[in-house]
Each structure stands twice: as structure tokens, then as C-alpha cells.
Amino acid sequence: MGITGRRHQEIYDLVGIGFGPSNLSLAIALEEHGASAAQHPVKSHFFERQPTFGWHRNMLLPSTTMQISFLKDLVTFRNPLSRFSFISYLHAANRLVQFVNNQDFFPTRHEFHQYLEWAAAGLDNQVTYGAEVISIRPVAENGAKAPDLLEIEVRESDGSTQLVTARNVAISTGLVPRLPEGMTADERVWHSSEFLGRFNTVAPEDLKSVAVVGAGQSAAEITRFLYDSLPHAKVSAVIPSYGYSVADDTPFANQVFDPGAVDEYFFGTDQARDAFWRYHRNTNYSVVDADVIRSLYQRAYDEEVRDSRRLHFRNLTRVTEVKPAGNGKRVVLRSLLDGRTEELGVDALVFATGYDCVDPARLLGDFDQLFQRDAAGRHRVERDYRLVPASGLTCGVYLQGGTEHSHGLSSALLSNIAVRSGEIADSIMLGRAERELERPVEEATATA
């Protein structure tokens, strides 16, 4: 297949694919690493398919808070003196004193998003928005593939393409919304990832009955939001478990997200890795913060006191079918208790059923064959988050996400984002330093 599009002549040390929090943190780490090498600054650029910076915008519900401390920001665990810290943002926003007076380690999700936007604006010259990377491949020179250079094909918002050359790429394309098998999203069936955008397109008076499917934090938050925002509506929570389970955020359990835990997991035995998941899934997966659980239970109890019920919890229940019904839907529910089914009429159905990681093979195409996989078919990944090549490739393909099997529970979470990005930046800088050491030898050999 012929190569089309204009070619960018500069060779970058790194091209980042996606510009969410992970690659934003990496961009900062590279800038701060490069400050100590002013004569040869790191050359990097990032491509983001969204038109502007945004992170889970459709879940910025009122009063929802982060589930991690503000100190687990983009930089602090790596560099507490960074100008890109959450504290620096508060100072720039003239809100540091008020935040301290609030005596809370957990900012609202809306405020943390403002922080991320502020940090992204400080690196605006390093990112191209409205640009989607559609393929990655080794650079071909005289019919042979150069082992140390990658060619990245980028489709821009006007439909044109450009070719960019880099020694390394960092793939951070986020997560793919997951719906139960057989379910399809439409104007009245939504995934939580699109919730606010969809909700705001429907007149509140047209939502007389709504249902939320799921047992995790997003499901509980959306259920609470709908109950408070639609005082006339019946709200049903369809929960596959027997009610919501509380997230374990106690100090010892939280150590599973410590930077040191990544080493324990990566270098641990299969038995140790299994223990991580068996004992500590309840720190992050299909669990809900205790205050959200209590607030929902309080609403349900208040209804019992008033003898007026519009909040319904359908525990141990799954959705088996969704059928059209005028402007709404008929939802077929099956009880896991006795196998009985019932139909529920709703004007909107929200699936808060999680996400899947993006397989980098989609971008790598045939190039993916040059990287090793384990017995389960998953990519083998080095400790520095770089794919393990099956050949003599010296270029680097780094993953920000999709490494839970190799690096543990925090591999795609904000908890370890600063340290993870620093480790990737260190690896890239080390590779560049090794090339600089080799260059005089190559030049001397060429002139001998």
C-alpha cells in the first residue's frame, strides 16, 4: 500500500498518542527531565483526537469527588517541586487558602478537571488536537525496515494526513465503553461515558421512569443524580450483586496503589499476582465509596418514612433484553434469586457497566507481529512499560494502560500516574543517552 500525506521532517524522541491525564503527565515529566539537558532538549509531540482537552466530561456530576488524594496529581509523587502540581494550580487560581480551610483531601471531580485543563494549557504547544493517529509502522529505508525509527500516520480534522517520525511512541488512547452482550446504545440507551451529554438533550419532564444498570461508583453516582434531578421520576437501580459493595480505601489496602507495589507485582510469582487480585479487587472494581452508599440508603429510608416510593433497588438482577416502546424502552429483567423475569418501562436506560482497554494491535497492525505475547495472548511488557520486541527493534512502544496483567491494579489509574510517567521518561532519556554515546564511534568508523 502506498504512503500518502505530507511528511514532517523532524525526528521526535517521542510521539504521544492521546493526551489524557497519563500522556499529559508524561509530557510534563519529559519537559522537566529535559530542563537538565538544555543543550539537547527532548523533542516530543502529542496527538489527541478530541478537539480540546477533556477527561470524563460526561461524568462531571455535581458534588462528586475524586477517589484519590489531591497529592496524587500529575507530578507530586515524582517531583513535589513541579510547577504543574495541584497546589500550584490552586495558587494560580487564588484558591489555595480556601482549599486548605475546606479541610478535605479529595477535591470535587469538577475542580480536578479544571486542574487538568490548566496543566494541559501550559503545554499547548506540544499537542495537536483534532488529530487521530491511524497507524504506526517501522520506517522503511531502501526496502529495509530501520529498527530504530517509527513512522506515525496522523489524520487531521480536515481529513488530510501527515507522516511523523519518532524513536518512541507512548500509546494512551483511553478506555472503550463496554455494554453487556447484545445491548446497543441509542437516543434512550446510554453508556455512563456519555451520560451528561445524553441527559441534557432530553427534557426532564420526558423522563418519568429511568433505570441505571451496574454496581460500581458510576452507577451509584448516576442513580443519585437522577433521583435528585428528577423529583417526579421513578428511578430503578438494577444491580447484579446484592446491593452496592463498599470500596476498601483503608490505609493498608491502599498500599496496593503505592509505587513500590508495582515492583512487587511485576517481579512477583503467579501466586502472588493472583493474591493481589483476589484480595484487593475491592479497592477499585465494582465498588462504591461509603458516603455515596449511605446517601442513597438515606434517600430510600426517607421514602419509607414518608410511605412514598420512587427509588427502587433491584438486587441480584440482570438485563436480558431491551425492546423499543414508543419514545422509550421495555427492559426485560431476570432475577438471579429465582430466575423470574419482569418487564420495566423506562424513558432512559443507563449502562454503567465499565470499560475495556484498547488493544494496541489496532494501531500497530502488521507491526504488532514484531512484539512478544505471553501464553494467554497478552502483550509482554517490560518494567518500564515498553512492549517486548520479538526481533532486534530498538525503537520503543510504551503503553499507558492495558498493562494490568504485568504491572498490577494501578497500571491505568491516577494513583501512580506521576511515578509511571517518570519511569517512562527515564527510559526514553536513557535510550537517547545511549545513542549519544554510540554516535562518536559510528562517526569515527565512517571517517577511518
Side-chain angles (χ1 to χ4, degrees), residues 7 35 80 95 159 193 251 286 299 379 386 389 424 441:
R7 183 177 295 277
R95 211 163 54 234
S193 61
S286 297
R299 285 161 173 77
H379 282 101
R386 182 174 44 173
I424 295 174
V441 176

Side-chain angles (χ1 to χ4, degrees), residues 312-384:
H312 303 272
F313 296 98
R314 289 173 161 81
N315 298 332
L316 290 173
T317 301
R318 295 189 181 276
V319 175
T320 61
E321 188 179 0
V322 179
K323 301 182 288 189
N327 291 328
K329 300 290 180 179
R330 298 293 296 178
V331 182
V332 180
L333 305 175
R334 182 174 65 86
S335 170
L336 301 180
L337 282 171
D338 54 21
R340 293 182 180 179
T341 61
E342 65 171 313
E343 288 196 9
L344 176 68
V346 298
D347 300 303
L349 176 65
V350 185
F351 283 104
T353 45
Y355 299 83
D356 293 318
C357 290
V358 175
D359 187 347
R362 183 184 64 83
L363 281 173
L364 297 175
D366 293 340
F367 183 32
D368 184 61
Q369 299 173 11
L370 300 183
F371 297 97
Q372 297 181 24
R373 291 181 179 257
D374 63 17
R378 302 167 301 193
H379 282 101
R380 291 190 58 205
V381 189
E382 301 279 12
R383 176 60 183 83
D384 60 4

Side-chain angles (χ1 to χ4, degrees), residues 93-224:
N94 197 29
R95 211 163 54 234
L96 179 58
V97 172
Q98 295 90 326
F99 182 86
V100 172
N101 287 342
N102 200 37
Q103 300 182 24
D104 196 338
F105 264 69
F106 306 97
T108 65
R109 199 172 294 156
H110 185 78
E111 182 174 32
F112 200 81
H113 193 275
Q114 287 183 337
Y115 156 63
L116 295 174
E117 288 181 308
W118 169 83
L123 295 170
D124 198 52
N125 63 325
Q126 294 190 36
V127 57
T128 300
Y129 292 102
E132 181 179 8
V133 171
I134 55 179
S135 70
I136 306 168
R137 50 186 170 257
V139 169
E141 294 181 350
N142 300 322
K145 293 180 178 179
D148 61 340
L149 291 177
L150 298 170
E151 188 170 67
I152 299 97
E153 186 173 2
V154 184
R155 181 191 296 125
E156 300 187 46
S157 56
D158 62 1
S160 63
T161 61
Q162 65 166 312
L163 301 176
V164 181
T165 306
R167 301 188 186 280
N168 304 279
V169 296
I171 301 175
S172 182
T173 50
L175 300 169
V176 179
R178 181 174 63 238
L179 291 171
E181 186 176 355
M183 304 300 158
T184 304
D186 59 28
E187 289 79 5
R188 293 300 176 98
V189 178
W190 314 329
H191 187 270
S192 57
S193 61
E194 56 181 356
F195 173 69
L196 279 179
R198 291 288 195 178
F199 177 80
N200 291 329
T201 64
V202 183
E205 59 270 19
D206 291 338
L207 297 175
K208 300 179 179 65
S209 176
V210 293
V212 182
V213 181
Q217 182 78 12
S218 294
E221 288 178 348
I222 291 173
T223 299
R224 183 176 63 177

Side-chain angles (χ1 to χ4, degrees), residues 297-309:
Y297 190 87
Q298 183 65 53
R299 285 161 173 77
Y301 182 75
D302 288 344
E303 287 191 338
E304 285 196 28
V305 172
R306 297 193 307 268
D307 194 24
S308 174
R309 296 290 300 276

Side-chain angles (χ1 to χ4, degrees), residues 255-270 272-274 276-277 280 285 357 374 378-388 397-413 415-417 419-424 427:
Q255 288 180 322
V256 76
F257 301 117
D258 289 354
V262 177
D263 280 335
E264 299 287 354
Y265 188 93
F266 186 86
F267 296 108
T269 63
D270 290 341
R273 293 185 182 195
D274 178 67
F276 266 91
W277 288 101
H280 299 295
Y285 297 91
C357 290
D374 63 17
R378 302 167 301 193
H379 282 101
R380 291 190 58 205
V381 189
E382 301 279 12
R383 176 60 183 83
D384 60 4
Y385 301 92
R386 182 174 44 173
L387 290 182
V388 178
V397 176
Y398 295 86
L399 300 185
Q400 294 249 49
T403 58
E404 287 180 328
H405 64 286
S406 56
H407 289 69
L409 279 74
S410 67
S411 68
L413 302 179
S415 294
N416 199 35
I417 191 171
V419 174
R420 181 172 70 245
S421 296
E423 290 170 344
I424 295 174
S427 177

Side-chain angles (χ1 to χ4, degrees), residues 47-66:
F47 296 95
E48 169 57 53
R49 63 184 175 184
Q50 293 188 101
T52 59
F53 181 88
W55 178 66
H56 295 305
R57 286 185 179 274
N58 284 311
M59 281 301 295
L60 297 180
L61 305 178
S63 301
T64 52
T65 58
M66 298 295 294

